[in-house]
């Protein structure tokens, strides 16, 4: 809010309101579901981290007119929080998961890369999660659906 207030007070207030509203809707609606490794809707901490890292990145590069980028990130994360799109969660790893070690290597690489340019690495990490987690969950669901119907045939 404070970052956008100097450029457009009404837009800053709208962005703050939509983020708080989307977070409240997500917490009220989706926390009643049974625990799973696939969440419905983007988790609130991931949405907040995406927005905060975008602000940090734009301030780090002294981007004076980043109101549209930040507004787009806020509104997209708000929509993703309140939809039922599947987001892959990292709560548990199955023993027969063939990508378990690849995930560990990717996480280790990201952690090692953060000191070189923290705002850029953190923003890219959460933006990648925001974009590719629903795609990955859909692939997992489609594969499971395809395997279950192959058994029936």
């Amino acid at each position: 809010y404070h970052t956008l207030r100097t450029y457009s007070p009404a837009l800053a207030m709208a962005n703050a309101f939509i983020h708080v509203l989307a977070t409240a809707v997500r917490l009220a609606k989706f926390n009643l579901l049974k625990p799973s490794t696939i969440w419905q809707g983007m988790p609130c901490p991931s949405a907040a981290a995406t927005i905060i890292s975008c602000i940090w990145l734009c301030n780090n590069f002294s981007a004076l007119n980043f109101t549209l980028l930040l507004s787009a990130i806020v509104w997209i994360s708000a929509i993703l929080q309140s939809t039922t799109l599947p987001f892959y969660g990292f709560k548990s790893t199955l023993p027969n998961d063939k990508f378990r070690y690849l995930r560990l290597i990717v996480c280790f690489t990201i952690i090692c890369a953060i000191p070189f340019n923290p705002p850029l690495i953190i923003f890219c990490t959460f933006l990648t999660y925001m974009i590719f987690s629903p795609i990955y969950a859909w692939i997992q669901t489609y594969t499971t659906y395809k395997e279950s119907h192959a058994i029936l045939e």
Side-chain angles (χ1 to χ4, degrees):
Y1 171 75
H2 177 69
T3 306
L4 287 178
R5 188 180 61 194
T6 56
Y7 301 109
S8 175
L11 185 62
M13 189 63 91
N15 284 341
F17 178 74
I18 195 67
H19 178 68
V20 169
L21 182 67
T23 302
V25 166
R26 194 215 175 319
L27 290 174
K29 186 176 182 181
F30 296 125
N31 280 356
L32 298 175
L33 300 172
K34 64 180 181 172
S36 174
T37 57
I38 304 252
W39 298 329
Q40 289 185 352
M42 185 176 187
C44 304
S46 299
T50 306
I51 294 167
I52 290 169
S53 62
C54 180
I55 292 170
W56 189 16
L57 179 69
C58 292
N59 283 337
N60 194 32
F61 288 126
S62 299
L64 295 177
N65 195 3
F66 64 93
T67 56
L68 292 178
L69 172 69
L70 185 57
S71 295
I73 295 288
V74 168
W75 284 82
I76 289 170
S77 68
I79 290 168
L80 288 175
Q81 282 185 72
S82 57
T83 61
T84 58
L85 290 174
F87 274 80
Y88 181 75
F90 301 100
K91 289 182 180 178
S92 66
T93 304
L94 301 174
N96 59 355
D97 187 8
K98 55 187 169 186
F99 296 113
R100 177 177 44 179
Y101 296 111
L102 179 63
R103 273 193 228 116
L104 288 173
I105 291 170
V106 168
C107 289
F108 180 73
T109 306
I110 290 170
I111 289 170
C112 289
I114 286 175
F116 295 109
N117 192 350
L120 182 64
I121 300 296
I122 293 172
F123 177 68
C124 289
T125 301
F126 282 105
L127 190 65
T128 302
Y129 177 72
M130 180 168 49
I131 293 169
F132 288 111
S133 187
I135 294 170
Y136 180 71
W138 278 335
I139 290 170
Q140 292 270 335
T141 305
Y142 177 73
T143 306
T144 306
Y145 176 78
K146 190 175 176 183
E147 289 173 356
S148 68
H149 284 324
I151 294 172
L152 295 176
E153 293 176 357

